[in-house]
Amino acid sequence: MLTMKDVVREGHPSLRKQAKEVAIPPTKEEIALLKSMQTFLSNSQDEELVEKYDLRPGVGLAAPQLGVEKRMIAVLLTDDKDRLYDYGLFNPKIVSHSVEKSYLPSGEGCLSVDREVPGIVPRYARITVKAINSDLEPVKLRLRGLPAIVFQHEIDHLNGVMFYDHINEDDPFAIPENAVEVDR
C-alpha cells in the first residue's frame, strides 16, 4: 500500500524531469503501480484511513511524485454536478484546449509540496485529453471546471512542471484576463 512515505517532495529530481512514455501494453509492474496510485487516492479520501496511515487527502497523483519517471497519472474526484472522475491513465496527453482560462480562487496544493504556496494558478478552462486507461482501452476525455484543472496539474508533473511555476511572480494574485473562477 502506498503512503505519504512513498511520495517524493520538492527538490527530488524526478519532479523536474520529462517522464518517459509507457510502452503499450504496459508491464504487469506498471499496471500494478497505476492501480496502487488509484488506491492511494481512494484511501486518502477516507477519513479513517487518513487518520490511521497519516495520509494527506489528494485528488490526483502522477508517477514522478513516486520517483517513477513514467507517463502515468491517477485522478479521483467529483465535479460540481456530482460526476465521478476515477481514472488511472497511461500516456495522457492534452490534445486541445480552450483559449479561455480558469483558476481556483484558493490556489492549488500538491502532495509533493509540504508548504502553502499562495497565488493564482492559471489553467485552461476546457481541455481534451487522450490516454490509455487502466483497462488498456483508448479514452478521450473532454474536461472543464475542477477536473480540467486537476488533469492539467497531474500532466504538468509528467513534464517536470510544478503548479507554482504558473504563478505570476510579480503579482501572485493576478487574475488572468477573461478567466473563470472554479469552485472546488
Side-chain angles (χ1 to χ4, degrees):
M1 181 180 119
L2 294 175
T3 67
M4 288 304 297
K5 290 181 183 72
D6 299 297
V7 177
V8 300
R9 303 308 204 279
E10 276 183 287
H12 191 282
S14 73
L15 293 174
R16 288 299 188 176
K17 287 189 181 151
Q18 186 85 18
K20 291 175 178 47
E21 289 270 318
V22 175
I24 303 299
T27 65
K28 284 187 174 79
E29 293 77 20
E30 289 164 338
I31 292 168
L33 176 61
L34 191 58
K35 292 202 184 308
S36 293
M37 290 165 61
Q38 289 179 272
T39 301
F40 172 88
L41 292 178
S42 177
N43 292 346
S44 84
Q45 294 178 26
D46 179 312
E47 285 181 30
E48 276 181 35
L49 296 176
V50 164
E51 191 70 32
K52 184 175 180 181
Y53 296 109
D54 194 27
L55 302 174
R56 278 178 47 200
V59 292
L61 184 66
Q65 292 180 273
L66 301 170
V68 177
E69 294 160 17
K70 293 184 179 182
R71 299 188 79 78
M72 300 163 54
I73 66 169
V75 171
L76 178 61
L77 73 142
T78 51
D79 67 10
D80 57 349
K81 293 178 177 64
D82 258 359
R83 179 165 170 219
L84 178 66
Y85 294 80
D86 184 359
Y87 290 97
L89 300 175
F90 295 105
N91 305 327
K93 185 178 201 163
I94 296 171
V95 294
S96 67
H97 61 78
S98 62
V99 172
E100 184 183 38
K101 299 282 188 174
S102 67
Y103 66 95
L104 293 170
S106 56
E108 293 182 22
C110 179
L111 293 169
S112 293
V113 179
D114 291 330
R115 61 191 173 98
E116 231 174 87
V117 184
I120 298 293
V121 181
R123 299 286 187 186
Y124 297 115
R126 292 174 305 285
I127 60 170
T128 301
V129 173
K130 283 187 175 180
I132 303 296
N133 70 14
S134 52
D135 295 325
L136 306 185
E137 302 162 339
V139 292
K140 183 177 181 180
L141 307 169
R142 287 189 174 84
L143 305 163
R144 63 183 315 130
L146 184 58
I149 289 173
V150 172
F151 275 80
Q152 288 172 81
H153 179 113
E154 298 313 322
I155 291 170
D156 269 357
H157 277 303
L158 305 181
N159 298 318
V161 176
M162 299 294 283
F163 75 92
Y164 48 74
D165 296 341
H166 296 288
I167 297 173
N168 181 331
E169 282 183 35
D170 299 325
D171 186 0
F173 294 97
I175 293 172
E177 206 172 302
N178 301 325
V180 184
E181 186 176 299
V182 173
D183 293 327
R184 281 194 189 263

